[in-house]
Amino acid sequence: MLNKFFEFTIYISTVITLALVPVAVVLFFFLSPWTAYENGPLENLQVIQLVLGSLVSVMAARKATDKNARNIWYSGAVTFLIFAGRELNWGRVFYPTGEHNMFISMKNLWYGPVVYPLLTVIVIATGYTLWRSNLFAYIKKIKIPFWDLSLFVVLYLAANYAEHRPMVFFGQQFDGEILEELFECLCYWLLTDITRIMGIVNRKNIDF
């Protein structure tokens, strides 16, 4: 069953990501809390990673010879940009209130009322495009890298556990949000790498 949708190659990038996990844990003990703030260094790094993921998706779409495959990867590019918009709080981070790590509310943004309706339309259109493009049939052909996806799931769950949770080590309290943001950086790196592997490395000329 797993072989229908997954391939089990361990890529160099997978090993590099696994090696970065203890690096992230070490950084967690030394980074200042402000690095994990909204519009801070780690959040901005995530936005850069997601934009890069979108560009990789566009590259995969341009290499595809089949219309459905192109639509799938262009939909992937849009999905990466949606994630990037979410990390930017849909632009709220560009409107600080002057208070500590606080920003203007969505309803008070000049474009605030259209954000969620527009996002709903984009999500529905993207989902419909993926369905019309036979996404699962395409996945059966190019396969999902199992170990990359497994590592993504583990890190995503770990990031959610650490979020807004004070963590005590050696009798000292640390801000769990730092570890959350570090693991999210690794998650977005993995998403980009999965896109690269599926869309470029494992790409085949497929006629649906």
Side-chain angles (χ1 to χ4, degrees):
M1 178 64 179
L2 284 177
N3 290 332
K4 290 177 64 175
F5 295 100
F6 297 98
E7 53 100 356
F8 297 88
T9 304
I10 299 177
Y11 295 91
I12 294 176
S13 54
T14 313
V15 176
I16 292 173
T17 307
L18 193 58
L20 287 174
V21 173
V23 174
V25 173
V26 171
L27 287 174
F28 161 64
F29 290 108
F30 292 98
L31 290 180
S32 174
W34 68 268
T35 58
Y37 289 170
E38 297 290 339
N39 207 26
L42 293 178
E43 291 263 356
N44 288 332
L45 176 59
Q46 291 165 14
V47 173
I48 292 171
Q49 290 176 300
L50 290 166
V51 171
L52 177 62
S54 182
L55 292 175
V56 173
S57 290
V58 170
M59 287 175 57
R62 291 174 66 88
K63 288 179 177 292
T65 59
D66 179 85
K67 178 182 177 182
N68 283 345
R70 285 195 298 272
N71 287 340
I72 287 169
W73 289 117
Y74 281 131
S75 296
V78 171
T79 302
F80 271 110
L81 292 179
I82 290 174
F83 288 164
R86 176 182 171 276
E87 289 299 331
L88 292 171
N89 265 306
W90 315 115
R92 287 179 57 233
V93 296
F94 301 117
Y95 296 90
T97 62
E99 300 179 41
H100 174 67
N101 200 33
M102 298 294 291
F103 303 90
I104 191 172
S105 66
M106 182 65 71
K107 66 180 182 180
N108 290 327
L109 279 175
W110 60 271
Y111 58 85
V114 305
V115 170
Y116 291 119
L118 180 60
L119 183 61
T120 300
V121 171
I122 293 172
V123 169
I124 292 173
T126 302
Y128 177 74
T129 300
L130 291 172
W131 175 71
R132 285 294 303 270
S133 301
N134 297 318
L135 172 63
F136 292 108
Y138 183 70
I139 291 175
K140 285 182 180 180
K141 295 290 185 180
I142 60 171
K143 311 291 186 184
I144 301 171
F146 177 83
W147 298 114
D148 284 67
L149 181 62
S150 298
L151 187 54
F152 169 84
V153 171
V154 170
L155 288 171
Y156 179 81
L157 292 175
N160 273 272
Y161 177 82
E163 185 179 14
H164 307 307
R165 189 186 302 271
M167 310 184 79
V168 179
F169 297 95
F170 316 114
Q172 184 176 351
Q173 182 169 302
F174 297 87
D175 187 353
E177 195 166 353
I178 300 173
L179 188 61
E180 177 221 352
E181 298 297 342
L182 287 166
F183 280 171
E184 280 191 2
C185 286
L186 294 180
C187 284
Y188 293 147
W189 154 260
L190 281 167
L191 282 182
T192 300
D193 194 47
I194 290 171
T195 301
R196 178 188 67 85
I197 292 169
M198 294 179 66
I200 298 175
V201 176
N202 292 351
R203 180 180 62 88
K204 300 175 182 178
N205 295 330
I206 301 169
D207 293 320
F208 284 88

